[in-house]
Amino acid sequence: MAKCIKCNVMIKDDSKICPLCHQILEPIPGEKTEDAYPNIKEKHRKMNFVIRLYVFLACVCDALFVLINLKASGTVHWSVITSAAFIYGFLTLGLSTDSHFSLKAKMVYQTLWGVAFIIVIDYIFGFQGWSLAYVLPTSIVVLDVIMLILMLINRRYYQEYMVMEILLMVLSVIPLIFYITHLTHILPLALFALIASGILFIGTLIIGGPRSNAELSRRFHVN
């Protein structure tokens, strides 16, 4: 509720300008007004409660699944998968509510956690190596494509993705190391992930020119 001093009328809705004289309305002293900014602390308290509730329910369910697994088969192999799933859910929930991470960072971390979860599943099934030979390099290639799409959408700020491109280049070396150490036996996909990440970074560096060099200098103090 507000009052127009010029017309001496009370305005009961949330109008900011008097409908009669078009003067700016004055709020009535003592009248409750909405905050100019959203209550961030209240939102954080609610999200923290949701996360704590999730942790509690996950612990209860996980303990129940361990008991069922022990009772049914005498092992805890299957319950390891559910434990990993609960951990993945916790990390996902925490990351989605954390404003310190950008969208591109959240996508990379989310994907890597997903790969780790799949590796756990592979281990439970006897570790055939398919998670390292196929899932890991494929995930890196998918992230390369996602980064390229985001760069095309945000063309004015494409250089800000270079740090993530460097991270993907480092990660793309890992499948090749697994092949060299005979943990995997699939070379083409590992090479493709490394080449895709390298092309993305080098292309950004060359096409970006001075802006890309300036971003590297700002991030890593490289002249």
Side-chain angles (χ1 to χ4, degrees), residues 97-108:
T97 58
D98 196 331
S99 59
H100 295 90
F101 293 95
S102 62
L103 175 61
K104 53 183 177 292
K106 290 181 178 181
M107 295 177 68
V108 170

Side-chain angles (χ1 to χ4, degrees), residues 156-172:
R156 294 182 58 184
Y157 307 99
Y158 68 89
Q159 71 277 5
E160 295 182 0
Y161 293 85
M162 295 190 70
V163 174
M164 287 299 168
E165 292 177 3
I166 294 174
L167 175 61
L168 291 177
M169 284 186 61
V170 174
L171 292 174
S172 64

Side-chain angles (χ1 to χ4, degrees), residues 92-213:
T92 301
L93 188 60
L95 185 64
S96 62
T97 58
D98 196 331
S99 59
H100 295 90
F101 293 95
S102 62
L103 175 61
K104 53 183 177 292
K106 290 181 178 181
M107 295 177 68
V108 170
Y109 293 142
Q110 187 80 16
T111 302
L112 294 179
W113 293 338
V115 171
F117 177 60
I118 294 175
I119 292 175
V120 171
I121 297 177
D122 187 10
Y123 177 79
I124 295 300
F125 281 97
F127 195 69
Q128 301 297 319
W130 54 267
S131 59
L132 301 180
Y134 296 100
V135 177
L136 179 58
T138 301
S139 300
I140 295 173
V141 173
V142 170
L143 286 174
D144 286 329
V145 174
I146 292 175
M147 289 299 156
L148 178 60
I149 294 174
L150 291 177
M151 289 171 61
L152 293 175
I153 295 175
N154 302 285
R155 289 187 294 272
R156 294 182 58 184
Y157 307 99
Y158 68 89
Q159 71 277 5
E160 295 182 0
Y161 293 85
M162 295 190 70
V163 174
M164 287 299 168
E165 292 177 3
I166 294 174
L167 175 61
L168 291 177
M169 284 186 61
V170 174
L171 292 174
S172 64
V173 177
I174 297 177
L176 196 59
I177 294 175
F178 288 156
Y179 177 81
I180 295 173
T181 56
H182 304 291
L183 287 175
T184 62
H185 304 282
I186 308 297
L187 180 60
L189 197 54
L191 285 176
F192 184 71
L194 180 61
I195 293 171
S197 299
I199 290 176
L200 181 63
F201 175 74
I202 295 174
T204 304
L205 187 63
I206 294 175
I207 297 174
R211 291 179 63 184
S212 297
N213 294 328

Side-chain angles (χ1 to χ4, degrees), residues 16-78:
K16 305 298 181 183
I17 298 176
C18 178
L20 300 177
C21 64
H22 303 292
Q23 295 291 322
I24 297 177
L25 300 174
E26 295 289 336
I28 299 175
E31 187 75 18
K32 184 179 180 180
T33 58
E34 296 183 357
D35 296 332
Y37 300 96
N39 192 343
I40 301 298
K41 291 184 178 180
E42 180 64 24
K43 180 180 178 180
H44 285 174
R45 282 196 294 268
K46 290 181 179 178
M47 291 311 303
N48 288 334
F49 172 76
V50 171
I51 293 175
R52 292 195 300 271
L53 180 62
Y54 173 85
V55 171
F56 170 73
L57 294 176
C59 290
V60 173
C61 292
D62 195 33
L64 180 61
F65 292 155
V66 169
L67 293 175
I68 294 174
N69 196 181
L70 283 172
K71 185 70 174 178
S73 60
T75 64
V76 294
H77 289 81
W78 289 103

